[in-house]
Amino acid sequence: MQINVMPGALQTVAAQAIVVNLFEGVTVPGGATGAVDRALGGQIQALIAGGDFRGKRNEVAVLYPTGAIPAQRVILVGLGKSEKFTLDVIRQAAGTAAQKARDLGVTHLHTIIHGAGIGGVAPELAAEATVEGTLLGLYRFHELKTQLEDARPDLETLTLVELDAARVPALEAGARTGQIVAESTLLARDLVNRPANIATPTHIAETAARMAAETGLRCEVLDKAALEALGMHLLLSVNRGGGEPARMVILEHNAGRDDLPTVVLVGKGITFDTGGISLKPGENMHRMKGDMGGAAAVIGALRALALLDVPLHVVGLAPLTENMPDAHATKPGDVVCSLKGLTVEILNTDAEGRLILADALTYAGTFGPAAVFDIATLTGARVVALGDHAAAVMGDEALIARLRTAGDATYERVWPLPLFEEYGEQLKSGVADVANIGGRAGGSITAGYFLSKFVPDGVPWAHIDIAGLDQIEKDLPYIPKGATGFGVRLFVELLRHW
Ligand code: BES
Ligand code: MN
Ligand code: ZN
């Protein structure tokens, strides 16, 4: 989609539709909404006075000016209570309004910059959130449908209209950032939505390489032979039962810039998790196509960081394999030697994510990082502990504090769990250095504890468990049902303000 910023008064624009907004409880709108209302002879005030529009968050109404102003339609969206106004409300309002516009067949939409007026949000941030919410909210995954039941055309342009011409440069900067961040999130959503017969390790590696060529990232893809030569036997042990060869993607932003601090992002890339020989039950197993959501988040984040030219050396690592059972598959009780040299007793082949991450975390050490983050759909216990509204984070307290700030800003929120050394008792193995499961109690924590054993010595590290957050079952204002792209916006926010 093309995004424009134009100086001018919304009520004077000859548009297919214009978007204005209203806080709950306001009876006489001000700002751009007020100007449109006056030009319409008080139609918006009448709607409020009649009790037909209260300004509740994501409430939406359409007005037909019939010549009173040049626009064909006015889309009015509620912002909720002004005390509860945040950047996320902007994203939601933008997503809601854009979806309404598309429902009406609108292809060129003009909008107010939500929050930049009485909302009191800095113009750049308001523009960013407005663009982000629009692009994220309009996302559809229909590349595999030959029969489109939903034939509504996509929006072609979004134009932000601002009265004060002096604000245009800031709005343009914010709009550009919003577009980069949103489109990078959509790349991650596509990778998660694609089924496992399409989004194989090879496909994901090729997609990452193509994206890297477009954005100037360095990209290297390690094939099975390279993984064997390196000694990434934990990753290879998960790959044994599958038909698709394993890969590891290495993406690098500002490669070779040793004047910049290095941050490594590691993402779990299980393209399908059957559980392996420790086979999962059949119900909802199809959801495990999203078990590469961590890898998708890392690939999406690297795209955005490159396009935003963030002044850091950022490395993205995505170990990729399916987890399948066959005659060659790893069996419960097998012992495998990790890249680090620690031996692992694989008591449950369904605890595979921590295995591939362990080798990737060890590999991260070769970059001399100032910080390492991993992101993974790691444990069902994460869903039990925190539900739908926060990812679990473990590890270095200072990194967790940074993640919490970034999570609050993006609404990809995170919440900490402890890694007390006593949890390590649960991972003791009778035959190897460590076991890959620690029983039901504290399942997310013992998974995180397992990972901690493979983090290079002295490197600050944080682990983000996003199990169950990779896909959603019900539409949200700017996250349609399906893949969420969770983690892209979190990482970009974190590293932009590093
Ligand atoms: N990919 C799953 C975790 C998961 C669960 C992701 C629900 C998304 C939604 C992971 O590989 C897994 O199977 N974890 C096991 C670990 C157990 C065997 C210790 C789990 O959580 O049951
Ligand atoms: Mn599993
Ligand atoms: Zn898994």
Side-chain angles (χ1 to χ4, degrees), residues 268 270 273 280 288 291 323 350-353 377-378:
K268 171 179 171 181
I270 296 293
D273 184 11
K280 286 183 180 295
M288 287 301 134
D291 211 20
N323 183 24
D350 198 11
E352 84 297 338
T377 48
L378 206 62

Side-chain angles (χ1 to χ4, degrees), residues 111-380:
T111 185
I112 191 169
I113 299 111
H114 302 291
I118 38 172
V121 176
E124 184 163 345
L125 290 179
E128 184 182 326
T130 300
V131 170
E132 222 174 78
T134 302
L135 293 172
L136 294 175
L138 289 175
Y139 174 76
R140 291 184 286 192
F141 180 74
H142 49 203
E143 65 186 32
L144 301 176
K145 286 190 187 283
T146 66
Q147 242 82 69
L148 270 190
E149 64 257 35
D150 183 5
R152 299 164 303 167
D154 286 319
L155 232 63
E156 290 168 35
T157 65
L158 175 73
T159 305
L160 309 185
V161 184
E162 165 61 43
L163 196 57
D164 181 358
R167 283 177 154 197
V168 167
L171 295 171
E172 280 173 342
R176 179 176 178 273
T177 304
Q179 183 164 17
I180 289 169
V181 173
E183 288 176 353
S184 301
T185 306
L186 302 190
L187 168 63
R189 285 185 185 173
D190 277 346
L191 289 174
V192 169
N193 276 330
R194 278 179 200 147
N197 63 328
I198 295 174
T200 59
T202 307
H203 168 89
I204 295 173
E206 282 170 3
T207 305
R210 204 175 323 116
M211 178 278 285
E214 286 162 13
T215 54
L217 289 162
R218 190 185 90 90
C219 179
E220 188 182 342
V221 178
L222 304 184
D223 63 9
K224 256 182 99 164
L227 297 169
E228 266 154 23
L230 268 168
M232 296 188 76
H233 298 296
L234 289 178
L235 171 55
L236 291 165
S237 77
V238 176
N239 188 238
R240 288 180 59 88
E244 295 288 336
R247 293 280 184 270
M248 188 162 76
V249 171
I250 305 164
L251 290 169
E252 232 177 318
H253 168 56
N254 284 324
R257 285 281 302 272
D258 36 5
D259 55 318
L260 298 172
T262 299
V263 177
V264 183
L265 309 179
V266 181
K268 171 179 171 181
I270 296 293
T271 58
F272 195 81
D273 184 11
T274 65
I277 297 298
S278 312
L279 195 65
K280 286 183 180 295
E283 202 188 348
N284 290 326
M285 201 204 272
H286 66 278
R287 290 188 191 159
M288 287 301 134
K289 73 174 182 177
D291 211 20
M292 31 56 72
V298 168
I299 292 167
L302 265 288
R303 178 188 184 275
L305 295 165
L307 292 173
L308 294 172
D309 202 14
V310 167
L312 286 172
H313 173 218
V314 187
V315 180
L317 299 179
L320 298 160
T321 176
E322 43 183 32
N323 183 24
M324 300 286 287
D326 83 353
H328 306 281
T330 295
K331 297 168 285 293
D334 285 1
V335 174
V336 175
C337 186
S338 63
L339 176 61
K340 181 165 182 173
L342 282 176
T343 55
V344 179
E345 185 183 13
I346 301 174
L347 288 173
N348 188 318
T349 64
D350 198 11
E352 84 297 338
R354 64 196 75 183
L355 300 177
I356 71 169
L357 290 170
D359 275 349
L361 286 167
T362 302
Y363 190 81
T366 62
F367 295 93
V372 174
F373 296 89
D374 76 75
I375 184 161
T377 48
L378 206 62
T379 64

